C-alpha cells in the first residue's frame, strides 16, 4: 500500500506526525482528553486526505468527531458554471467527495447556505455540481452542508491535529481534537476558515494564535 506521510490513525495508512504533512501547527498542539470516532460518511473518499487543521466538533459525551469540510474555489468555468476548480490543498485532490452537498460557507454558522448543489463528479481538484451556485467565484469558500437543513454539519470546538486518510477497508476511524497551541497555527496551510469559525473556536475555549505566514 502507498503511504501518505503525516497521517495518523490506527486503521488507516501512515505515520504519527502532529502538525500535518504541510505543518499546519508549529510545535505540538494540546488535545482534548481521549479519542473520538468519525462517522465514515463524514470523511472524504477512501485514499483522499482530510487535512490537518480541519475544524471539527468533538462530542465529549457521545465520543464522536464531526468535520466541517471547507474548500477555497480557484476558478469557476466560464462556459459551464457547474464545473468548479478547487484551490490545491497540497494533496492534488479535495476532501469534498461525490454525493456531498456544498454551499458557500455562511458568515453565521447557524444559518443555512442560501445556495447549494450536489457534487455529481470529481476528478482531483475539479468538481462538477448538479447546478450552478449563485455568487460562486474564485476565492469563494465552500463548505459541505447537511443535505436536508443545508447548514454546516458541525460548529467546531477544535481543530484536527493531523491528516486523516480513510482506508477503503476501514470499518472504524478514530480522531482527536486540538484545542490549544502555544505557537502559531499557519492558516494559509489549512482548509479555509472564516471569522465565524474562529469565533466558534474561541467561544469553545480554544486558544490558537493565527498566523498568515506561508
Amino acid at each position: 500500500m502507498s503511504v501518505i506521510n503525516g497521517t495518523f490513525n490506527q486503521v488507516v495508512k501512515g505515520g504519527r506526525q502532529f502538525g500535518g504533512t504541510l505543518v499546519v501547527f508549529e510545535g505540538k498542539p494540546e488535545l482534548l482528553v481521549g479519542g473520538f470516532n468519525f462517522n465514515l460518511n463524514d470523511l472524504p473518499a477512501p485514499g483522499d486526505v482530510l487535512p490537518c487543521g480541519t475544524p471539527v466538533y468533538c462530542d465529549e459525551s457521545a465520543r464522536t468527531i464531526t468535520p466541517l469540510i471547507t474548500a477555497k474555489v480557484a476558478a469557476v468555468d466560464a462556459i459551464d458554471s457547474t464545473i468548479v476548480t478547487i484551490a490545491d490543498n497540497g494533496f492534488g485532490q479535495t476532501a469534498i467527495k461525490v454525493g456531498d452537498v456544498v454551499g458557500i460557507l455562511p458568515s453565521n454558522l447557524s444559518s443555512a447556505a442560501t445556495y447549494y448543489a450536489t457534487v455529481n463528479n470529481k476528478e482531483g481538484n475539479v468538481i462538477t455540481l448538479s447546478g450552478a451556485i449563485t455568487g460562486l467565484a474564485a476565492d469563494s469558500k465552500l463548505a459541505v452542508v447537511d443535505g436536508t437543513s443545508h447548514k454546516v454539519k458541525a460548529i467546531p470546538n477544535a481543530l484536527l491535529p493531523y491528516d486523516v486518510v480513510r482506508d477503503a477497508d476501514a470499518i472504524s476511524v478514530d480522531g482527536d481534537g486540538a484545542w490549544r497551541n502555544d505557537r502559531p497555527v499557519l492558516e494559509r496551510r489549512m482548509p479555509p476558515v472564516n471569522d465565524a469559525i474562529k469565533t466558534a473556536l474561541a467561544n469553545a475555549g480554544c486558544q490558537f494564535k493565527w498566523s498568515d505566514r506561508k
Side-chain angles (χ1 to χ4, degrees):
M1 291 190 297
S2 62
V3 174
I4 298 178
N5 294 326
T7 62
F8 169 90
N9 198 280
Q10 72 268 34
V11 293
V12 298
K13 311 186 251 314
R16 296 192 175 203
Q17 176 179 323
F18 281 91
T21 300
L22 301 183
V23 192
V24 169
F25 293 94
E26 292 191 346
K28 183 176 179 180
E30 295 185 37
L31 308 184
L32 296 173
V33 175
F36 305 88
N37 191 253
F38 284 102
N39 180 329
L40 296 184
N41 292 328
D42 291 333
L43 291 172
D48 286 349
V49 179
L50 182 64
C52 177
T54 295
V56 293
Y57 173 70
C58 296
D59 187 323
E60 300 200 59
S61 296
R63 309 310 299 177
T64 56
I65 180 170
T66 306
L68 195 176
I69 294 177
T70 63
K72 182 179 178 180
V73 174
V76 177
D77 190 272
I79 298 174
D80 185 349
S81 57
T82 66
I83 300 175
V84 178
T85 301
I86 301 299
D88 183 22
N89 63 359
F91 299 101
Q93 47 81 22
T94 172
I96 296 171
K97 66 180 182 296
V98 173
D100 282 342
V101 178
V102 296
I104 295 176
L105 178 64
S107 58
N108 180 343
L109 298 184
S110 297
S111 298
T114 304
Y115 304 102
Y116 48 86
T118 301
V119 178
N120 285 343
N121 189 56
K122 168 187 164 182
E123 295 183 15
N125 275 2
V126 179
I127 58 175
T128 302
L129 304 174
S130 59
I133 295 179
T134 301
L136 194 66
D139 294 331
S140 294
K141 296 174 182 178
L142 279 174
V144 175
V145 299
D146 179 80
T148 301
S149 70
H150 305 126
K151 296 180 180 181
V152 296
K153 292 186 175 183
I155 295 180
N157 60 0
L159 295 177
L160 190 67
Y162 39 66
D163 307 320
V164 168
V165 183
R166 174 164 61 109
D167 190 279
D169 297 324
I171 59 172
S172 177
V173 176
D174 293 337
D176 289 291
W179 70 276
R180 174 188 171 94
N181 203 60
D182 289 333
R183 301 186 65 187
V185 178
L186 304 181
E187 185 177 348
R188 293 170 69 178
R189 299 186 182 187
M190 60 184 278
V193 296
N194 62 2
D195 288 343
I197 290 175
K198 291 181 180 180
T199 297
L201 291 168
N203 289 343
C206 292
Q207 299 175 27
F208 295 122
K209 300 174 183 178
W210 302 96
S211 172
D212 196 41
R213 289 190 292 107
K214 288 186 178 180

